[in-house]
Amino acid sequence: MSNIIHKTFPVLNMHTASCATNVERAINDEPGIIETKVNLVNNTVYIKYDKKHITVGEIRAAVLSAGYDIIIDQEQQIYQQEQEHTKRYHRLRTEVIGAWVFTVPMLLLSVSRIFEHLSYTKYIMLLISLMVLVLFGREFFENAWKQMRKKMYRLDLLVAVSTGVAFLFSVFNVFFAEFWTSRGFEAHTYFELTVIITTFVITGKFMEAKAKGSSTLAIRNLMGLRPKSARVLKGEEKTDVPLKELKVGDHIIVHPGEKIPIDGIVIDGASYVNESMITGEPLPIEKGVGSKVTAGTVNQRGKFVVRAEKVGEDTFLAQIIRMVQEAQNTKAPVKRIVDKAVGVYLPIVAVVALLTFGGWVIFGGEYNVAKGVLAGLSVLIIACPCALGLATPIALWVGINKGANHHILIKDAVALEQTPQIDTLVLDKTGTITEGSPTIVGWLWATRQDKEDEYKQILLAAEAKSDNPLALSLMEELAIQQNVKPVDLDSYVNLPGKGIIVKYQGDKYWVGGKRLKEEHNAEINGPLNEMLVRYEGKGYGIVYFGKDNELLAIIAIADQMKPTSISAIKELRRMGLSVTMLTGDSERSAQAVAHKLTIQSVKAEVLPDEKESYIRGLQQQGKKVAMVGDGINDSQALACADVSIAMGKGTDIAMNVAMITLMTSDLSLLPRTIRLSKRTVKLIKQNLFWAFIFNVIAIPIAAGVFYPVSGFLLNPMIAGVAMTLSSVSVVLNSFFFDRGKL
């Protein structure tokens, strides 16, 4: 048995890029660690380690020593992670309210002439400013210290530099005003700038936390399919056993209405089981002795006993949970546009401040050092626009709300930033391009007419046991339209993605797709082949029915295309996207559908577990991929795609995994989604421009460029005008974006 373990853990108290670096470094320093990937967007860490050299407890101890924590209890992971997110959200909301409570009186004190000549006004402003920094700005300074040690230039560092310098400079001017007045300068204070910048940036962080999608929702819903315990039968005794204590071979009793806790085989009793959360199909499936059942599905009617074949982390449901977690964790955290801007802007400001100081020392004449200090500090004070913290969050907020108004549900704000980078769009056919309601359009029998009724009875019985979505169409056609009665089968075996094999009166029959036909070496001869070519040429799906290596019948199934699919795909191609269609249909049928849609890239005869591999293959070629699907068999592919989009009429799991849901399941919303994303990113950049421009214009004034001509340096009025204009510009720019059409 391999000693290499792959695990994904939620991380607590990790909010910034520097936090993520600290967590990764703390884990990588431990022996036995092979690979670590920290995902700041989802607040998780993926760890590959050798259990012979390190335990989960030791990994947690290493993370704790760095000031963070990981949740190692599988049952409590999602609950604690969401609790942490909720706690941070409520804390930010409280801080925003508290900061504005202090900001409003500060603004009144700074602009009202009533308080202008009162001697104690500056001391009140000092006290308010100090309280805002201590109560609400402390995190900026803590993060700034960490960023400076790692030579990282982020928003927190810029905020800390500007507010810290403004506050200390203002305190000095309150108590030592004569230092400047004796040299012919006014002793200005900038307490209001300290408060306003802090409040605006905290407000932006709060909006960002609210806009951030709940990345744990899909995992929580999948975990919610599992019961907490199971009723185990030991002899005549029945005992309730926690899920984690179940063992392979245990006999488990499942009553009506209960969720099945394990993967196993029915050994006693019979019932109907609702497998809609796994297959997406609404009708319950009949289960009897020998039938396989899956963890997370719901028993509908009768009571039965199941022998456990797979338990705990080995069940099919646990594998889906694990793969979705790992796929989500492979996405690189989005490098915030604002951090990129600050990374360039802050070093430039620092250089300008030093050059300003040096210039005044060299060319300043009388009181040259004092002038240099005043001008250099003024540059640092004016450097941080108060609207900078709002520029990105308000744009994302507006983008999400505009999407909702157009039936585009954006659950993860990251999707708005990543969608413009997409160059390849992968579409699942059934339920995405088509309506997802297949109907029988043709029968081709290769046997004697007097045997057709008997074979139809066997076919109906087989499809009643099948877990393939197309089985419902055949059952409806045979049982309702043709009034066929099913026979009692001896046994059956479902082959996921291929079909079903059954036994009746000692003979083997099979129903499925092309792969199953080829495995039985069944040949198609004469007129049948000609009709098959015609059916596939029309884009029909084909189901084959046979006995041993003899083909008995070909059934043609049509799934009507959605009215907007053709126009939507043409528009997507005009936007420069490469569009690929995935389907389980034969190559000829797939090409026929693709021709109608003008899609040039098709992947036919794809099994459910091959979709994720196909997406990863495209990504390895350097492509940025968006996946659009509607079923749980799409969930792993959706999770690993750069952008995941689900159809609103699909399964709950697919919608929860996806970043974006098209609520009307209309493909014409796809081009709108892409346009919305591009415009949102453009809005972010425009907002950053308006946030910076007025402060950038004010920097030369602060540096004293106009001092030889006008005789003044930076004063609170100029700083206030710059801050006001940047904030108003950002808000108005976002407002006009929201009023525009997609």
Side-chain angles (χ1 to χ4, degrees):
M1 187 174 178
S2 174
N3 293 315
I4 305 302
I5 305 296
H6 303 254
K7 288 274 188 180
T8 299
F9 302 100
V11 185
L12 304 181
N13 307 318
M14 182 176 71
H15 307 304
T16 66
S18 58
C19 292
T21 304
N22 292 339
V23 171
E24 190 165 337
R25 185 174 297 167
I27 297 171
N28 283 334
D29 286 344
E30 296 298 307
I33 300 296
I34 299 170
E35 184 181 9
T36 306
K37 293 179 184 176
V38 178
N39 189 324
L40 185 58
V41 176
N42 295 329
N43 285 93
T44 56
V45 58
Y46 164 79
I47 307 172
K48 183 179 178 182
Y49 65 95
D50 189 336
K51 68 179 183 181
K52 285 180 66 178
H53 296 97
I54 192 168
T55 65
V56 171
E58 290 170 335
I59 294 173
R60 186 187 181 203
V63 176
L64 284 168
S65 68
Y68 308 92
D69 196 4
I70 59 173
I71 305 169
I72 60 177
D73 185 347
Q74 291 284 335
E75 295 299 319
Q76 296 297 317
Q77 273 189 1
I78 301 303
Y79 171 75
Q80 288 186 32
Q81 190 179 8
E82 289 192 337
Q83 197 175 44
E84 172 71 12
H85 175 75
T86 303
K87 186 167 68 175
R88 173 171 165 75
Y89 171 78
H90 287 303
R91 178 176 65 79
L92 284 171
R93 185 175 66 179
T94 302
E95 288 183 357
V96 167
I97 294 170
W100 279 104
V101 166
F102 286 104
T103 301
V104 172
M106 175 64 88
L107 290 172
L108 290 174
L109 287 172
S110 63
V111 301
S112 177
R113 293 188 176 183
I114 298 175
F115 308 102
E116 188 176 353
H117 302 293
L118 297 178
S119 59
Y120 54 81
T121 298
K122 58 187 176 183
Y123 297 104
I124 296 174
M125 295 175 74
L126 187 157
L127 182 62
I128 292 174
S129 182
L130 179 63
M131 292 180 71
V132 168
L133 285 180
V134 171
L135 295 175
F136 312 116
R138 186 175 64 252
E139 186 177 318
F140 297 127
F141 291 91
E142 291 172 353
N143 292 336
W145 173 246
K146 294 174 184 176
Q147 290 168 15
M148 286 175 64
R149 290 170 60 190
K150 294 178 174 61
K151 297 180 181 179
M152 298 166 62
Y153 306 109
R154 307 290 188 194
L155 176 61
D156 287 342
L157 182 56
L158 178 58
V159 172
V161 168
S162 283
T163 57
V165 170
F167 178 76
L168 293 174
F169 184 63
S170 300
V171 170
F172 179 86
N173 289 351
V174 167
F175 294 104
F176 304 102
E178 66 278 2
F179 178 85
W180 300 111
T181 55
S182 64
R183 290 166 173 79
F185 301 109
E186 287 190 52
H188 294 303
T189 60
Y190 298 91
F191 291 122
E192 65 273 23
L193 261 66
T194 303
V195 172
I196 291 170
I197 290 172
T198 303
T199 300
F200 269 63
V201 175
I202 290 173
T203 303
K205 286 185 178 254
F206 168 70
M207 293 176 71
E208 201 164 18
K210 192 172 180 68
K212 183 179 179 181
S214 178
S215 59
T216 61
L217 183 60
I219 310 297
R220 174 162 55 84
N221 282 357
L222 284 167
M223 285 185 166
L225 298 177
R226 301 188 295 196
K228 300 295 182 185
S229 62
R231 193 173 293 104
V232 178
L233 182 64
K234 297 181 179 179
E236 297 297 324
E237 187 179 346
K238 302 172 185 175
T239 310
D240 283 338
V241 177
L243 201 64
K244 58 185 177 183
E245 295 179 15
L246 294 176
K247 299 175 182 177
V248 173
D250 281 347
H251 291 184
I252 295 159
I253 303 172
V254 184
H255 288 279
E258 292 182 345
K259 294 174 182 175
I260 298 171
I262 44 79
D263 292 353
I265 295 175
V266 177
I267 58 172
D268 186 31
S271 182
Y272 284 84
V273 174
N274 184 348
E275 297 183 338
S276 61
M277 292 303 289
I278 300 297
T279 64
E281 301 306 325
L283 296 180
I285 307 299
E286 184 181 0
K287 301 290 182 181
V289 175
S291 300
K292 289 186 177 181
V293 292
T294 306
T297 56
V298 182
N299 182 20
Q300 295 278 291
R301 299 180 187 174
K303 181 180 76 172
F304 54 77
V305 179
V306 181
R307 182 177 69 244
E309 298 286 319
K310 293 180 180 179
V311 298
E313 295 301 304
D314 295 326
T315 63
F316 174 67
L317 180 60
Q319 289 174 31
I320 292 177
I321 292 171
R322 184 165 57 252
M323 284 186 282
V324 170
Q325 281 180 323
E326 290 177 4
Q328 285 183 336
N329 218 42
T330 57
K331 296 173 192 164
V334 176
K335 293 181 178 178
R336 316 307 286 182
I337 295 175
V338 67
D339 282 339
K340 290 182 180 179
V342 170
V344 175
Y345 178 69
L346 187 55
I348 292 175
V349 167
V351 170
V352 170
L354 289 173
L355 290 175
T356 299
F357 173 75
W360 277 105
V361 169
I362 296 170
F363 305 107
E366 190 179 9
Y367 305 128
N368 59 337
V369 175
K371 291 176 181 176
V373 170
L374 179 60
L377 292 177
S378 297
V379 169
L380 294 177
I381 289 169
I382 198 64
C384 182
C386 67
L388 184 59
L390 279 177
T392 299
I394 199 170
L396 294 175
W397 182 281
V398 169
I400 288 170
N401 286 338
K402 192 168 187 65
N405 291 334
H406 288 81
H407 310 291
I408 302 165
L409 178 61
I410 299 163
K411 296 184 298 175
D412 193 336
V414 173
L416 283 173
E417 294 179 314
Q418 293 192 172
T419 301
Q421 303 169 25
I422 294 301
D423 53 34
T424 304
L425 188 67
V426 177
L427 303 170
D428 180 53
K429 192 197 86 169
T430 305
T432 302
I433 295 173
T434 64
E435 296 286 359
S437 303
T439 55
I440 309 300
V441 292
W443 293 82
L444 298 175
W445 286 96
T447 185
R448 301 198 317 264
Q449 191 172 0
D450 61 330
K451 300 286 289 183
E452 285 183 14
D453 290 341
E454 179 186 351
Y455 287 146
K456 284 182 180 179
Q457 291 177 316
I458 298 170
L459 177 59
L460 176 58
E463 292 298 77
K465 302 293 185 183
S466 175
D467 56 11
N468 191 298
L470 295 177
L472 290 174
S473 302
L474 277 167
M475 288 170 61
E476 182 179 338
E477 171 72 19
L478 292 170
I480 299 175
Q481 302 297 330
Q482 300 187 27
N483 200 28
V484 174
K485 303 297 181 185
V487 297
D488 293 324
L489 300 174
D490 299 333
S491 65
Y492 69 92
V493 177
N494 269 302
L495 305 173
K498 293 183 180 179
I500 187 171
I501 296 175
V502 303
K503 283 196 174 180
Y504 175 65
Q505 295 183 350
D507 293 320
K508 183 174 79 170
Y509 296 86
W510 47 269
V511 188
K514 185 178 179 182
R515 293 194 186 195
L516 194 58
K517 175 186 73 72
E518 290 174 348
E519 286 178 9
H520 287 83
N521 298 314
E523 295 184 359
I524 307 173
N525 298 313
L528 236 60
N529 193 51
E530 293 176 10
M531 287 302 298
L532 176 63
V533 171
R534 287 188 191 178
Y535 283 153
E536 290 183 332
K538 293 180 180 180
Y540 296 156
I542 303 297
V543 174
Y544 299 94
F545 175 40
K547 176 183 177 183
D548 294 322
N549 62 351
E550 177 189 0
L551 180 66
L552 298 178
I554 293 174
I555 304 104
I557 298 177
D559 191 0
Q560 187 177 353
M561 202 174 294
K562 291 178 181 177
T564 57
S565 292
I566 295 175
S567 59
I569 290 169
K570 284 182 179 178
E571 186 172 0
L572 289 166
R573 291 187 62 202
R574 280 197 299 269
M575 296 171 79
L577 293 173
S578 172
V579 181
T580 298
M581 182 181 75
L582 297 183
T583 178
D585 292 346
S586 69
E587 184 69 33
R588 193 182 289 127
S589 293
Q591 290 293 345
V593 173
H595 179 72
K596 293 178 184 176
L597 296 165
T598 68
I599 293 177
Q600 296 176 343
S601 176
V602 180
K603 183 70 174 175
E605 301 177 28
V606 180
L607 294 178
D609 58 354
E610 294 174 343
K611 293 180 181 180
E612 181 185 2
S613 300
Y614 183 74
I615 298 292
R616 292 199 184 279
L618 291 173
Q619 291 171 329
Q620 287 169 6
Q621 297 172 27
K623 297 183 184 296
K624 296 292 183 181
V625 184
M627 171 70 189
V628 188
D630 74 326
I632 194 168
N633 57 359
D634 299 322
S635 59
Q636 289 146 239
L638 287 168
C640 77
D642 297 289
V643 174
S644 49
I645 304 170
M647 309 307 282
K649 295 179 181 178
T651 62
D652 290 343
I653 300 300
M655 285 189 284
N656 291 334
V657 169
M659 298 173 173
I660 301 171
T661 298
L662 307 182
M663 297 308 297
T664 60
S665 295
D666 186 348
L667 271 186
S668 66
L669 292 179
L670 267 179
R672 289 187 183 183
T673 303
I674 294 169
R675 283 195 295 269
L676 173 66
S677 301
K678 289 181 177 180
R679 288 181 58 186
T680 302
V681 171
K682 184 179 179 181
L683 176 64
I684 291 172
K685 293 176 180 178
Q686 288 175 344
N687 282 355
L688 287 174
F689 170 80
W690 289 116
F692 276 113
I693 188 62
F694 296 107
N695 294 71
V696 169
I697 292 171
I699 284 177
I701 299 174
V705 170
F706 301 106
Y707 181 78
V709 179
S710 60
F712 70 86
L713 293 168
L714 180 71
N715 62 55
M717 184 183 73
I718 296 172
V721 168
M723 295 295 177
T724 302
L725 286 174
S726 67
S727 302
V728 170
S729 299
V730 165
V731 172
L732 286 177
N733 191 43
S734 301
F735 172 76
F736 286 118
F737 170 88
D738 194 33
R739 291 172 64 88
K741 292 183 179 181
L742 280 182

